[in-house]
Amino acid sequence: MEHGHEANFLEGTRLFEEGSVADRFWIVRSGTVTLDMSVPGRNPALIERLGPGELVGWSWLLRPYTWHNSAEAETPVRAYEFNAVTVRMAMDADPAFGSLIGNWVTSVLAYRLQGTRLRLLDEYALHGGVDTV
């Protein structure tokens, strides 16, 4: 927590945009943040809703440090905000800390990937996109 500070976002505030520099991340204290991604010719596709205790943003940990999606405060949000460069430097300086953070972010990614996979299966099943044998 020594590397973070409190941040507040009004409903509708965009925290970051897909393709921009991923220079920070957040842990939600209260409220809801939506993750979305652009879809050519359509409105952005909702990926997930994140609430208290959840990590918002993982692209700050992996080169080239650009956001892979976008995020918006769906409700008023209170969060802890962390500077990515400072945290990466702390991870390099303390390998045990770096391992903990790396494992944490990896587990978040694995969980979200599985959730996305299940949503895609549901979407294709609902619209007849899955062939049965």
Side-chain angles (χ1 to χ4, degrees):
M1 288 306 298
E2 71 185 69
H3 301 294
H5 66 275
E6 291 189 27
N8 298 306
F9 301 98
L10 298 174
E11 180 180 330
T13 302
R14 298 293 280 181
L15 280 66
F16 55 85
E17 295 292 337
E18 187 176 343
S20 62
V21 176
D23 59 355
R24 67 197 72 231
F25 64 96
W26 301 264
I27 298 174
V28 178
R29 294 178 59 209
S30 66
T32 305
V33 174
T34 58
L35 300 180
D36 62 67
M37 65 184 299
S38 58
V39 178
R42 301 180 70 192
N43 288 331
L46 177 67
I47 298 172
E48 191 164 2
R49 284 186 171 82
L50 305 175
E54 293 190 278
L55 172 67
V56 177
W58 54 264
S59 301
W60 62 273
L61 187 58
L62 305 170
R63 292 183 190 276
Y65 310 126
T66 56
W67 295 116
H68 288 79
N69 52 38
S70 302
E72 182 173 307
E74 184 174 51
T75 66
V77 171
R78 293 175 52 212
Y80 294 113
E81 182 176 287
F82 298 86
N83 179 288
V85 173
T86 302
V87 173
R88 287 194 305 263
M89 287 174 32
M91 291 171 69
D92 289 343
D94 182 347
F97 174 71
S99 180
L100 284 171
I101 296 297
N103 287 333
W104 172 56
V105 173
T106 301
S107 68
V108 168
L109 278 169
Y111 176 80
R112 291 188 185 161
L113 181 59
Q114 181 66 9
T116 300
R117 180 179 171 272
L118 292 173
R119 281 190 298 279
L120 282 171
L121 287 172
D122 285 345
E123 182 69 21
Y124 278 98
L126 287 173
H127 298 297
V130 176
D131 292 330
T132 58
V133 178

